[in-house]
Coordinates of all heavy atoms in Angstrom, one line a residue:
M802 N 19.3 -3.0 -21.0 CA 18.6 -4.3 -21.1 C 17.5 -4.1 -22.2 O 17.1 -3.0 -22.6 CB 17.9 -4.6 -19.8 CG 16.6 -3.8 -19.5 SD 15.4 -4.6 -18.4 CE 14.8 -5.9 -19.3
K803 N 17.0 -5.2 -22.7 CA 16.0 -5.2 -23.7 C 14.8 -6.0 -23.3 O 14.8 -7.1 -22.8 CB 16.5 -5.9 -25.0 CG 15.7 -5.5 -26.3 CD 16.4 -6.1 -27.5 CE 17.1 -5.0 -28.2 NZ 17.5 -5.3 -29.6
L804 N 13.6 -5.3 -23.4 CA 12.3 -5.9 -23.0 C 12.0 -7.0 -24.0 O 12.5 -6.9 -25.2 CB 11.2 -4.9 -22.9 CG 11.4 -3.8 -21.8 CD1 10.2 -2.8 -21.9 CD2 11.3 -4.5 -20.4
S805 N 11.0 -7.9 -23.7 CA 10.6 -8.9 -24.6 C 10.0 -8.3 -26.0 O 10.0 -8.9 -26.9 CB 9.7 -9.9 -23.9 OG 8.5 -9.2 -23.6
T806 N 9.5 -7.1 -25.9 CA 8.9 -6.3 -27.0 C 10.0 -5.7 -27.8 O 9.6 -5.1 -28.9 CB 7.9 -5.3 -26.5 OG1 8.6 -4.4 -25.6 CG2 6.7 -6.0 -25.8
G807 N 11.2 -5.7 -27.5 CA 12.3 -5.2 -28.2 C 12.7 -3.8 -27.7 O 13.7 -3.3 -28.3
K808 N 12.0 -3.1 -26.9 CA 12.4 -1.8 -26.4 C 13.6 -1.9 -25.6 O 13.8 -2.8 -24.7 CB 11.3 -1.2 -25.5 CG 10.1 -0.7 -26.3 CD 9.1 0.0 -25.4 CE 7.9 0.4 -26.2 NZ 6.9 1.1 -25.4
T809 N 14.6 -1.1 -25.8 CA 15.8 -1.0 -25.1 C 15.7 0.0 -23.9 O 15.3 1.1 -24.1 CB 17.1 -0.6 -26.0 OG1 17.2 -1.6 -27.0 CG2 18.4 -0.6 -25.2
I810 N 16.1 -0.5 -22.7 CA 15.9 0.3 -21.5 C 17.3 0.3 -20.8 O 17.9 -0.7 -20.7 CB 14.9 -0.4 -20.6 CG1 13.6 -0.7 -21.3 CG2 14.7 0.5 -19.3 CD1 12.8 0.5 -21.7
E811 N 17.6 1.5 -20.2 CA 18.8 1.7 -19.4 C 18.5 1.7 -17.9 O 17.7 2.6 -17.5 CB 19.6 2.9 -19.9 CG 20.9 3.0 -19.1 CD 21.7 4.3 -19.5 OE1 21.3 5.0 -20.4 OE2 22.7 4.5 -18.8
L812 N 18.9 0.7 -17.2 CA 18.6 0.6 -15.8 C 19.7 1.5 -15.0 O 20.8 1.6 -15.5 CB 18.7 -0.8 -15.3 CG 17.6 -1.7 -16.0 CD1 17.8 -3.2 -15.4 CD2 16.2 -1.2 -15.8
K813 N 19.4 1.9 -13.8 CA 20.3 2.6 -12.9 C 20.3 2.0 -11.6 O 19.4 1.3 -11.1 CB 20.0 4.1 -13.0 CG 18.7 4.5 -12.4 CD 18.5 6.0 -12.5 CE 17.1 6.4 -12.0 NZ 16.9 7.8 -12.2
E814 N 21.5 2.3 -10.9 CA 21.6 1.9 -9.5 C 20.7 2.8 -8.7 O 20.8 3.9 -8.8 CB 23.0 1.9 -9.1 CG 23.9 0.9 -9.8 CD 23.5 -0.6 -9.5 OE1 23.1 -0.9 -8.5 OE2 23.5 -1.3 -10.5
M815 N 19.9 2.1 -7.8 CA 19.1 2.9 -6.9 C 19.8 3.0 -5.5 O 20.5 2.1 -5.1 CB 17.7 2.2 -6.7 CG 16.9 2.3 -8.0 SD 15.4 1.2 -8.0 CE 14.6 1.7 -6.4
S816 N 19.5 4.1 -4.8 CA 20.0 4.2 -3.4 C 19.2 3.3 -2.5 O 18.1 2.7 -2.9 CB 19.7 5.7 -2.9 OG 18.4 5.9 -2.7
V817 N 19.8 2.9 -1.4 CA 19.1 2.1 -0.4 C 17.8 2.7 0.0 O 16.8 2.0 0.1 CB 20.0 1.8 0.8 CG1 19.3 1.1 1.9 CG2 21.3 1.0 0.4
D818 N 17.7 4.0 0.2 CA 16.5 4.7 0.5 C 15.4 4.5 -0.5 O 14.2 4.3 -0.2 CB 16.8 6.2 0.8 CG 17.6 6.4 2.1 OD1 17.6 5.6 3.0 OD2 18.3 7.5 2.2
D819 N 15.8 4.6 -1.8 CA 14.8 4.4 -2.8 C 14.3 3.0 -2.9 O 13.2 2.7 -3.2 CB 15.4 4.8 -4.2 CG 15.5 6.3 -4.4 OD1 14.9 7.1 -3.6 OD2 16.2 6.8 -5.4
I820 N 15.2 2.1 -2.7 CA 14.8 0.6 -2.7 C 13.8 0.4 -1.5 O 12.8 -0.2 -1.7 CB 16.0 -0.3 -2.6 CG1 16.8 -0.2 -3.8 CG2 15.6 -1.8 -2.3 CD1 18.2 -0.9 -3.8
D821 N 14.2 0.9 -0.4 CA 13.3 0.8 0.8 C 11.9 1.4 0.6 O 10.8 0.8 0.9 CB 13.9 1.4 2.1 CG 15.0 0.6 2.6 OD1 15.2 -0.6 2.2 OD2 15.8 1.1 3.5
Y822 N 11.9 2.6 -0.1 CA 10.7 3.3 -0.4 C 9.8 2.4 -1.3 O 8.6 2.2 -1.0 CB 11.0 4.6 -1.1 CG 9.7 5.3 -1.7 CD1 8.9 6.1 -0.8 CD2 9.4 5.2 -3.0 CE1 7.8 6.7 -1.3 CE2 8.3 5.8 -3.4 CZ 7.5 6.6 -2.6 OH 6.3 7.2 -3.1
C823 N 10.4 1.9 -2.3 CA 9.6 1.0 -3.2 C 9.1 -0.3 -2.6 O 8.0 -0.7 -2.8 CB 10.4 0.6 -4.5 SG 10.8 2.0 -5.5
N824 N 9.9 -0.8 -1.7 CA 9.5 -2.1 -1.1 C 8.4 -1.8 0.0 O 7.6 -2.7 0.2 CB 10.7 -2.7 -0.3 CG 11.6 -3.5 -1.2 OD1 11.1 -4.1 -2.2 ND2 12.9 -3.5 -0.9
D825 N 8.3 -0.6 0.5 CA 7.4 -0.3 1.6 C 6.0 0.2 1.0 O 5.1 0.3 1.8 CB 7.9 0.8 2.5 CG 9.0 0.3 3.4 OD1 9.2 -1.0 3.5 OD2 9.8 1.1 4.0
L826 N 5.9 0.4 -0.2 CA 4.7 0.9 -0.8 C 3.5 0.0 -0.7 O 2.5 0.3 -0.3 CB 4.9 1.4 -2.3 CG 5.4 2.8 -2.5 CD1 5.7 3.1 -3.9 CD2 4.5 3.8 -1.9
P827 N 3.7 -1.3 -1.1 CA 2.5 -2.2 -1.1 C 2.1 -2.4 0.4 O 3.0 -2.5 1.3 CB 3.0 -3.6 -1.6 CG 4.3 -3.2 -2.4 CD 4.8 -2.0 -1.7
Q828 N 0.8 -2.5 0.6 CA 0.3 -2.7 2.0 C -0.6 -3.9 2.0 O -1.5 -4.0 1.1 CB -0.5 -1.4 2.5 CG 0.4 -0.2 2.6 CD -0.3 1.0 3.0 OE1 -1.5 1.0 3.1 NE2 0.5 2.0 3.5
M829 N -0.5 -4.7 3.0 CA -1.4 -5.9 3.1 C -2.4 -5.7 4.2 O -2.1 -5.1 5.2 CB -0.5 -7.1 3.4 CG 0.3 -7.5 2.3 SD 1.3 -8.9 2.6 CE 2.9 -8.2 2.8
R830 N -3.7 -6.0 3.8 CA -4.7 -5.9 4.9 C -5.1 -7.4 5.3 O -5.3 -8.2 4.5 CB -6.0 -5.2 4.2 CG -6.9 -4.9 5.4 CD -8.1 -4.2 4.8 NE -8.9 -5.3 4.2 CZ -9.9 -5.1 3.2 NH1 -10.2 -4.0 2.8 NH2 -10.6 -6.2 2.8
Y831 N -5.1 -7.5 6.6 CA -5.3 -8.8 7.2 C -6.8 -8.9 7.8 O -7.3 -7.9 8.4 CB -4.4 -9.1 8.3 CG -3.0 -9.3 7.8 CD1 -2.1 -8.2 7.6 CD2 -2.5 -10.6 7.4 CE1 -0.8 -8.4 7.1 CE2 -1.1 -10.7 7.0 CZ -0.3 -9.6 6.8 OH 0.9 -9.7 6.4
E832 N -7.3 -10.0 7.8 CA -8.5 -10.4 8.6 C -8.1 -11.6 9.4 O -7.9 -12.7 8.8 CB -9.7 -10.6 7.8 CG -10.3 -9.4 7.2 CD -11.6 -9.6 6.4 OE1 -12.2 -10.6 6.5 OE2 -12.1 -8.6 5.8
G833 N -7.9 -11.5 10.7 CA -7.3 -12.5 11.5 C -5.8 -12.7 11.0 O -5.0 -11.8 10.9
N834 N -5.5 -13.9 10.7 CA -4.1 -14.2 10.1 C -4.0 -14.4 8.7 O -3.0 -14.7 8.1 CB -3.6 -15.5 10.8 CG -3.3 -15.4 12.3 OD1 -3.1 -14.3 12.8 ND2 -3.5 -16.5 13.0
E835 N -5.1 -14.0 8.0 CA -5.2 -14.2 6.5 C -5.2 -12.8 5.8 O -5.8 -11.8 6.2 CB -6.5 -14.9 6.2 CG -6.6 -15.2 4.7 CD -7.9 -16.0 4.5 OE1 -8.4 -16.7 5.4 OE2 -8.5 -15.9 3.4
V836 N -4.3 -12.8 4.8 CA -4.2 -11.6 3.9 C -5.5 -11.6 3.0 O -5.7 -12.5 2.3 CB -2.9 -11.6 3.1 CG1 -2.9 -10.4 2.1 CG2 -1.6 -11.6 3.9
V837 N -6.2 -10.5 3.1 CA -7.4 -10.4 2.3 C -7.2 -9.4 1.1 O -8.1 -9.4 0.2 CB -8.7 -10.0 3.1 CG1 -8.9 -11.2 4.1 CG2 -8.5 -8.8 3.8
A838 N -6.3 -8.5 1.2 CA -6.1 -7.5 0.2 C -4.7 -7.0 0.2 O -4.0 -6.9 1.2 CB -7.1 -6.4 0.3
I839 N -4.2 -6.7 -1.0 CA -2.8 -6.0 -1.1 C -3.1 -4.8 -1.9 O -3.7 -4.8 -3.0 CB -1.8 -6.9 -1.8 CG1 -1.6 -8.2 -1.0 CG2 -0.5 -6.1 -1.9 CD1 -0.6 -9.2 -1.7
T840 N -2.8 -3.6 -1.4 CA -3.0 -2.3 -2.1 C -1.7 -1.7 -2.5 O -0.6 -2.1 -2.1 CB -3.9 -1.4 -1.2 OG1 -3.1 -1.1 0.0 CG2 -5.2 -2.0 -0.9
N841 N -1.8 -0.6 -3.4 CA -0.7 0.1 -3.8 C 0.2 -0.6 -4.8 O 1.5 -0.2 -4.9 CB 0.1 0.8 -2.7 CG -0.7 1.7 -1.8 OD1 -1.7 2.3 -2.4 ND2 -0.4 1.9 -0.6
L842 N -0.2 -1.7 -5.4 CA 0.7 -2.4 -6.3 C 1.1 -1.5 -7.5 O 2.2 -1.6 -8.0 CB 0.1 -3.7 -6.7 CG -0.2 -4.7 -5.6 CD1 -0.9 -6.0 -6.1 CD2 1.2 -5.1 -5.1
A843 N 0.1 -0.8 -8.1 CA 0.4 0.1 -9.3 C 1.4 1.2 -8.9 O 2.4 1.4 -9.6 CB -0.8 0.6 -9.9
K844 N 1.2 1.7 -7.7 CA 2.1 2.7 -7.2 C 3.6 2.2 -7.1 O 4.5 2.9 -7.4 CB 1.7 3.3 -5.9 CG 0.6 4.3 -5.9 CD 0.3 4.8 -4.5 CE -0.9 5.7 -4.5 NZ -1.1 6.2 -3.1
A845 N 3.6 1.0 -6.5 CA 4.9 0.4 -6.4 C 5.6 0.1 -7.7 O 6.8 0.4 -7.9 CB 4.8 -0.9 -5.5
R846 N 4.8 -0.4 -8.6 CA 5.3 -0.7 -9.9 C 5.9 0.6 -10.6 O 7.0 0.6 -11.1 CB 4.3 -1.4 -10.8 CG 4.7 -1.7 -12.2 CD 3.7 -2.3 -13.1 NE 2.6 -1.3 -13.3 CZ 1.5 -1.5 -13.9 NH1 1.3 -2.7 -14.5 NH2 0.6 -0.6 -14.1
T847 N 5.1 1.6 -10.5 CA 5.6 2.9 -11.1 C 6.8 3.4 -10.4 O 7.7 3.9 -11.0 CB 4.4 3.9 -11.1 OG1 3.3 3.4 -11.8 CG2 4.9 5.3 -11.7
A848 N 6.9 3.3 -9.1 CA 8.0 3.8 -8.3 C 9.2 3.1 -8.7 O 10.3 3.6 -8.9 CB 7.8 3.7 -6.8
W849 N 9.2 1.7 -8.9 CA 10.3 0.9 -9.3 C 10.8 1.4 -10.6 O 12.1 1.6 -10.8 CB 10.1 -0.6 -9.4 CG 10.0 -1.2 -8.1 CD1 9.0 -1.8 -7.4 CD2 11.2 -1.5 -7.2 NE1 9.3 -2.3 -6.2 CE2 10.7 -2.2 -6.0 CE3 12.6 -1.3 -7.4 CZ2 11.5 -2.7 -5.1 CZ3 13.4 -1.7 -6.4 CH2 12.9 -2.4 -5.2
I850 N 9.9 1.7 -11.5 CA 10.4 2.1 -12.9 C 10.9 3.6 -12.9 O 12.0 3.8 -13.4 CB 9.2 2.1 -13.9 CG1 8.7 0.6 -14.1 CG2 9.5 2.8 -15.2 CD1 7.4 0.4 -14.8
R851 N 10.2 4.4 -12.2 CA 10.7 5.8 -12.1 C 12.0 6.0 -11.5 O 12.9 6.8 -11.9 CB 9.6 6.7 -11.4 CG 9.8 8.2 -11.5 CD 8.8 9.0 -10.9 NE 7.4 8.8 -11.4 CZ 6.9 9.3 -12.5 NH1 7.7 10.0 -13.3 NH2 5.7 9.0 -12.8
K852 N 12.3 5.2 -10.4 CA 13.6 5.3 -9.7 C 14.7 4.5 -10.2 O 15.9 4.7 -9.9 CB 13.3 5.0 -8.2 CG 12.4 6.1 -7.6 CD 12.2 5.8 -6.0 CE 11.3 6.8 -5.4 NZ 11.9 8.2 -5.3
G853 N 14.3 3.4 -11.0 CA 15.3 2.5 -11.5 C 15.6 2.5 -12.9 O 16.4 1.7 -13.3
V854 N 15.0 3.4 -13.7 CA 15.2 3.4 -15.1 C 15.7 4.8 -15.5 O 15.0 5.9 -15.0 CB 13.9 3.1 -15.8 CG1 14.1 3.3 -17.3 CG2 13.5 1.6 -15.6
V855 N 16.6 5.0 -16.3 CA 17.2 6.3 -16.8 C 16.1 6.9 -17.6 O 15.5 6.3 -18.5 CB 18.5 6.1 -17.6 CG1 18.9 7.4 -18.2 CG2 19.5 5.5 -16.7
K856 N 15.8 8.2 -17.4 CA 14.9 9.0 -18.1 C 13.4 8.4 -18.1 O 12.7 8.5 -19.1 CB 15.3 9.2 -19.6 CG 16.6 9.9 -19.7 CD 17.0 10.1 -21.1 CE 18.3 10.8 -21.2 NZ 18.9 11.0 -22.5
A857 N 13.0 7.9 -17.0 CA 11.7 7.4 -16.8 C 10.7 8.5 -16.3 O 10.2 8.5 -15.3 CB 11.6 6.3 -15.8
D858 N 10.3 9.4 -17.3 CA 9.4 10.4 -17.0 C 8.0 9.9 -17.3 O 7.8 8.7 -17.8 CB 9.7 11.7 -17.8 CG 9.8 11.5 -19.3 OD1 9.4 10.4 -19.8 OD2 10.2 12.4 -20.0
D859 N 7.0 10.8 -17.1 CA 5.6 10.4 -17.4 C 5.4 9.9 -18.9 O 4.7 8.9 -19.1 CB 4.6 11.5 -17.1 CG 4.4 11.7 -15.5 OD1 4.9 10.8 -14.7 OD2 3.6 12.6 -15.2
K860 N 6.0 10.7 -19.8 CA 5.8 10.3 -21.2 C 6.3 8.9 -21.4 O 5.7 8.1 -22.1 CB 6.5 11.3 -22.1 CG 6.4 11.0 -23.5 CD 7.0 12.1 -24.4 CE 6.9 11.8 -25.8 NZ 7.5 12.8 -26.7
F861 N 7.5 8.5 -20.9 CA 8.1 7.2 -21.1 C 7.1 6.1 -20.5 O 6.8 5.2 -21.1 CB 9.4 7.1 -20.5 CG 10.0 5.7 -20.4 CD1 10.5 5.1 -21.5 CD2 10.0 5.1 -19.2 CE1 10.9 3.8 -21.4 CE2 10.4 3.8 -19.1 CZ 10.9 3.1 -20.2
I862 N 6.7 6.4 -19.2 CA 5.9 5.4 -18.5 C 4.6 5.1 -19.3 O 4.1 4.0 -19.4 CB 5.7 5.7 -17.0 CG1 7.1 5.7 -16.3 CG2 4.8 4.8 -16.4 CD1 7.1 6.3 -14.9
K863 N 4.0 6.2 -19.7 CA 2.7 6.1 -20.4 C 2.8 5.4 -21.7 O 1.9 4.9 -22.3 CB 2.1 7.5 -20.6 CG 1.6 8.2 -19.3 CD 1.0 9.5 -19.7 CE 0.4 10.2 -18.4 NZ -0.1 11.5 -18.7
S864 N 4.0 5.4 -22.3 CA 4.3 4.7 -23.5 C 4.4 3.2 -23.5 O 4.3 2.5 -24.4 CB 5.5 5.2 -24.3 OG 6.7 4.7 -23.6
L865 N 4.5 2.7 -22.2 CA 4.6 1.3 -22.0 C 3.3 0.5 -21.8 O 2.4 1.1 -21.3 CB 5.4 1.1 -20.7 CG 6.8 1.6 -20.6 CD1 7.3 1.5 -19.1 CD2 7.7 0.8 -21.6
S866 N 3.1 -0.6 -22.3 CA 2.0 -1.4 -22.1 C 2.0 -2.0 -20.7 O 3.0 -1.9 -20.0 CB 1.9 -2.6 -23.1 OG 2.9 -3.5 -22.8
E867 N 0.9 -2.5 -20.2 CA 0.8 -3.1 -18.9 C 1.8 -4.2 -18.8 O 2.5 -4.4 -17.7 CB -0.6 -3.6 -18.6 CG -1.6 -2.5 -18.4 CD -1.3 -1.5 -17.3 OE1 -1.1 -2.1 -16.1 OE2 -1.2 -0.3 -17.5
D868 N 1.9 -5.1 -19.8 CA 3.0 -6.2 -19.8 C 4.3 -5.6 -19.7 O 5.2 -6.2 -18.9 CB 2.8 -7.1 -21.0 CG 1.5 -7.9 -20.9 OD1 0.9 -8.1 -19.8 OD2 1.1 -8.4 -22.0
E869 N 4.7 -4.6 -20.5 CA 6.0 -4.0 -20.4 C 6.3 -3.4 -19.0 O 7.4 -3.6 -18.5 CB 6.2 -2.9 -21.4 CG 6.2 -3.5 -22.8 CD 6.2 -2.4 -23.9 OE1 5.5 -1.3 -23.7 OE2 6.9 -2.6 -24.9
K870 N 5.3 -2.8 -18.4 CA 5.5 -2.2 -17.0 C 5.8 -3.3 -16.0 O 6.7 -3.2 -15.2 CB 4.3 -1.4 -16.7 CG 4.1 -0.1 -17.3 CD 2.7 0.6 -16.9 CE 2.4 1.8 -17.8 NZ 1.1 2.3 -17.4
N871 N 5.1 -4.4 -16.1 CA 5.2 -5.5 -15.2 C 6.7 -6.1 -15.4 O 7.3 -6.3 -14.5 CB 4.2 -6.6 -15.4 CG 2.8 -6.1 -15.0 OD1 2.7 -5.3 -14.1 ND2 1.8 -6.7 -15.5
E872 N 7.0 -6.3 -16.7 CA 8.3 -6.9 -17.0 C 9.4 -6.0 -16.5 O 10.4 -6.4 -15.9 CB 8.5 -7.2 -18.5 CG 9.7 -7.8 -18.9 CD 9.9 -8.0 -20.4 OE1 8.9 -7.7 -21.2 OE2 11.0 -8.3 -20.8
L873 N 9.3 -4.7 -16.8 CA 10.3 -3.8 -16.4 C 10.5 -3.6 -14.9 O 11.5 -3.5 -14.4 CB 10.0 -2.4 -17.1 CG 11.1 -1.3 -16.9 CD1 12.5 -1.7 -17.3 CD2 10.7 -0.1 -17.8
S874 N 9.4 -3.5 -14.3 CA 9.4 -3.4 -12.7 C 10.1 -4.6 -12.1 O 11.0 -4.4 -11.3 CB 8.0 -3.4 -12.2 OG 8.0 -3.4 -10.8
L875 N 9.9 -5.8 -12.6 CA 10.6 -6.9 -12.1 C 12.1 -6.9 -12.5 O 13.0 -7.3 -11.7 CB 10.0 -8.2 -12.6 CG 8.5 -8.5 -12.1 CD1 8.0 -9.7 -12.8 CD2 8.6 -8.8 -10.6
A876 N 12.4 -6.5 -13.7 CA 13.8 -6.3 -14.1 C 14.6 -5.4 -13.2 O 15.7 -5.5 -12.8 CB 13.9 -5.9 -15.5
V877 N 14.0 -4.3 -12.9 CA 14.5 -3.2 -12.0 C 14.8 -3.8 -10.7 O 16.0 -3.7 -10.1 CB 13.7 -2.0 -11.9 CG1 14.2 -1.0 -10.8 CG2 13.6 -1.2 -13.3
Q878 N 13.9 -4.5 -10.1 CA 14.1 -5.1 -8.8 C 15.2 -6.1 -8.8 O 16.1 -6.2 -7.9 CB 12.8 -5.8 -8.3 CG 11.7 -4.8 -8.1 CD 10.4 -5.5 -7.7 OE1 10.3 -6.2 -6.8 NE2 9.3 -5.2 -8.5
E879 N 15.3 -7.0 -9.9 CA 16.3 -7.9 -10.0 C 17.7 -7.3 -10.1 O 18.7 -7.7 -9.5 CB 16.0 -8.9 -11.2 CG 17.0 -10.0 -11.2 CD 17.1 -10.9 -10.0 OE1 16.0 -11.2 -9.4 OE2 18.2 -11.5 -9.7
H880 N 17.7 -6.2 -10.9 CA 19.0 -5.4 -11.1 C 19.5 -4.9 -9.7 O 20.7 -5.0 -9.5 CB 18.7 -4.3 -12.1 CG 19.9 -3.5 -12.4 ND1 21.0 -3.9 -13.2 CD2 20.3 -2.2 -12.0 CE1 21.9 -3.0 -13.2 NE2 21.5 -2.0 -12.5
Q881 N 18.6 -4.4 -8.9 CA 19.0 -3.9 -7.6 C 19.5 -5.0 -6.7 O 20.5 -4.8 -5.9 CB 17.9 -3.2 -6.9 CG 17.3 -2.0 -7.8 CD 18.3 -1.1 -8.4 OE1 19.2 -0.7 -7.7 NE2 18.1 -0.8 -9.7
R882 N 19.0 -6.2 -6.8 CA 19.4 -7.3 -5.9 C 20.8 -7.8 -6.3 O 21.5 -8.4 -5.4 CB 18.5 -8.5 -6.1 CG 17.1 -8.2 -5.3 CD 16.3 -9.5 -5.3 NE 14.9 -9.1 -5.0 CZ 13.9 -9.0 -5.8 NH1 14.0 -9.3 -7.0 NH2 12.7 -8.7 -5.4
L883 N 21.2 -7.6 -7.6 CA 22.5 -8.1 -8.0 C 23.7 -7.4 -7.3 O 24.7 -8.0 -7.1 CB 22.7 -7.9 -9.6 CG 21.8 -8.8 -10.4 CD1 21.9 -8.4 -11.9 CD2 22.0 -10.2 -10.2
G884 N 23.4 -6.2 -6.8 CA 24.4 -5.5 -6.1 C 24.5 -5.7 -4.6 O 25.3 -5.3 -3.9
E885 N 23.5 -6.5 -4.1 CA 23.5 -6.8 -2.7 C 24.5 -7.9 -2.3 O 24.8 -8.7 -3.1 CB 22.1 -7.2 -2.2 CG 21.1 -6.1 -2.3 CD 19.7 -6.5 -1.8 OE1 19.5 -7.7 -1.5 OE2 18.9 -5.6 -1.7

């Protein structure tokens, strides 16, 4: 796949366990019935990239802008859904 910035990225198929791990990272804090905070979003984004992109080591992840990380994380999630 190609990011909007032109970087070419190779996505990989994730295991069900890895998908569950990434989905379970964000945590919501409630006050009554209202969500007041969501934590671990950066951890979840990094986990999606690390587990769903070929050769996604620290050097690669650090080379990405915040916008690229957001775009890539969503692309990885969508790629995993295509197999369901």
Side-chain angles (χ1 to χ4, degrees):
M802 77 152 295
K803 196 174 259 194
L804 295 176
S805 61
T806 56
K808 288 185 182 176
T809 301
I810 308 294
E811 185 180 353
L812 302 179
K813 62 184 178 182
E814 294 300 318
M815 293 168 55
S816 71
V817 172
D818 291 333
D819 283 345
I820 293 169
D821 288 347
Y822 172 80
C823 292
N824 280 325
D825 288 346
L826 277 174
Q828 296 178 348
M829 291 179 255
R830 193 180 76 199
Y831 294 87
E832 287 184 10
N834 290 333
E835 186 176 330
V836 175
V837 294
I839 301 174
T840 59
N841 296 333
L842 292 176
K844 281 183 182 181
R846 180 181 67 180
T847 300
W849 281 109
I850 294 169
R851 192 174 302 280
K852 293 179 180 294
V854 175
V855 174
K856 298 181 182 176
D858 59 8
D859 281 356
K860 183 177 179 180
F861 168 77
I862 294 171
K863 288 179 179 180
S864 76
L865 299 170
S866 69
E867 290 298 306
D868 287 341
E869 288 173 324
K870 289 176 190 175
N871 290 334
E872 181 183 354
L873 185 51
S874 173
L875 292 173
V877 169
Q878 291 174 61
E879 185 61 31
H880 181 74
Q881 303 314 313
R882 286 188 196 106
L883 293 176
E885 292 182 356

